[in-house]
Amino acid sequence: MRLKMVATGVLVSLSPTLPADAATGRFPHENPPASLVVEHAELLVADAASGRAEGFLTIWNGTSVEKRLIGVASEAFRSVAVLPSPEGMVAAEEFVPIPAHAELRMKPTGLRLLLADRLTGEAPPSFRLTLTFDDGTRLSVPAAVVRA
């Protein structure tokens, strides 16, 4: 399963994004928000020379309708693709569905991001990712860089 590879400039120019504090954060799971929230965003950089990283997101959909993640862009990578889980659990190629009142959790042995063609030299402590959903919602979130 692959989302379209997109350049950051194209996504950002299409519509504004929500500020990071509106898009990310921890919340008490016994009383989750009724909104779309990126709880966790992390990039695993295994080899600085390769210019690649794997990304892992945890996204809570507290709304009453399914949300579909249709694109991910990075300010520091030319391309971002979604790698399918080894079990092939995702059926659609154009989007990643997140059911209402459910959480999408990416992990190394499952659905995850592949970021390639890094535009910057040394990796900073975090990179900004822009997530685009089928209803036009865009969330801009910092993703912490973790060295493997």
Side-chain angles (χ1 to χ4, degrees), residues 63-83:
T63 71
S64 59
V65 296
E66 177 182 273
K67 298 288 184 176
R68 295 176 178 186
L69 178 64
I70 61 169
V72 180
S74 167
E75 64 186 5
F77 292 86
R78 279 196 175 89
S79 67
V80 180
V82 175
L83 298 179

Side-chain angles (χ1 to χ4, degrees), residues 28-43:
H29 284 88
E30 53 277 352
N31 188 20
S35 60
L36 196 58
V37 179
V38 177
E39 285 187 80
H40 181 83
E42 190 171 79
L43 299 179

